[in-house]
Amino acid sequence: MYLISALVLGFIIFMIVYARYMNISGDISRRKIQVDNFRDQVEFRVKRLVIGTRQINDEIALELERLEELKSELRNIGEIKC
């Protein structure tokens, strides 16, 4: 009789510990998936920012060249009038 009650009690304790382990394991897996998704979103946004920054820098370089050309044209016009 003691053996059967000890086995039942041991089985119940095992099921409680196993259920807690599975709950924790599932929570860890869910958190890992959330972290992976967040990391993917951050990588995507960083790539977009890098592409946008590169495009802005290219446009600034082109406009600076155009500004220098306009300055030189204005100097030439000023020299011609004088």
Side-chain angles (χ1 to χ4, degrees):
M1 184 68 179
Y2 290 118
L3 181 63
I4 291 174
S5 27
L7 285 174
V8 169
L9 185 62
F11 181 71
I12 291 172
I13 291 173
F14 169 76
M15 290 302 292
I16 291 171
V17 170
Y18 183 71
R20 299 224 5 136
Y21 167 75
M22 291 304 290
N23 187 24
I24 291 170
S25 177
D27 190 45
I28 290 172
S29 297
R30 185 172 52 91
R31 295 287 183 191
K32 183 179 177 190
I33 290 171
Q34 287 177 342
V35 168
D36 289 342
N37 289 340
F38 183 69
R39 186 188 69 230
D40 291 342
Q41 290 175 358
V42 168
E43 287 176 355
F44 176 72
R45 289 178 182 173
V46 167
K47 285 180 185 177
R48 280 188 7 204
L49 286 172
V50 167
I51 290 170
T53 303
R54 187 176 302 135
Q55 184 179 10
I56 289 170
N57 287 336
D58 291 344
E59 290 176 6
I60 288 173
L62 289 174
E63 294 301 322
L64 284 174
E65 289 177 11
R66 185 169 169 228
L67 179 63
E68 292 300 324
E69 289 174 5
L70 289 174
K71 284 181 183 179
S72 66
E73 286 180 18
L74 285 174
R75 284 186 200 122
N76 291 340
I77 291 172
E79 290 174 1
I80 294 172
K81 287 186 177 181
C82 294

